Amino acid sequence: MSAVDDIKLELTAEVGSTAITLGAFLRLGRGAVVALDTRQTDAIALTYRDRAIALGDVLVEDDTIRVRVQRLASA
């Protein structure tokens, strides 16, 4: 095993985004639903330090959300 095998990376999975006004944000309450710009079938980005490094699919297993990597981003 090489030394790099133990280096930990913090990855972020970006599911989607939206833009709303501050007023709309302040009116959000418990149970509010915010529509994102992503469809259920769209690949999501796995990022490291704000750089996309892979694309994948969201999986929900029991109470855990996971990402299945479909492809690595090109350099």
Side-chain angles (χ1 to χ4, degrees):
M1 179 161 64
S2 98
V4 297
D5 288 342
D6 292 328
I7 297 173
K8 294 186 181 203
L9 304 176
E10 185 171 327
L11 300 179
T12 301
E14 183 176 327
V15 177
S17 63
T18 193
I20 63 174
T21 64
L22 178 58
F25 174 76
L26 294 173
R27 288 189 295 276
L28 293 176
R30 185 181 182 119
V33 176
V34 177
L36 302 176
D37 61 356
T38 306
R39 295 184 309 269
Q40 186 176 1
T41 57
D42 288 347
I44 64 162
L46 278 175
T47 62
Y48 173 69
R49 293 189 176 178
D50 296 325
R51 181 176 177 186
I53 61 169
L55 294 175
D57 300 323
V58 173
L59 302 174
V60 179
E61 298 173 354
D62 299 320
D63 289 336
T64 304
I65 298 172
R66 303 171 188 263
V67 176
R68 176 178 46 216
V69 174
Q70 294 298 326
R71 69 178 182 269
L72 298 177
S74 54

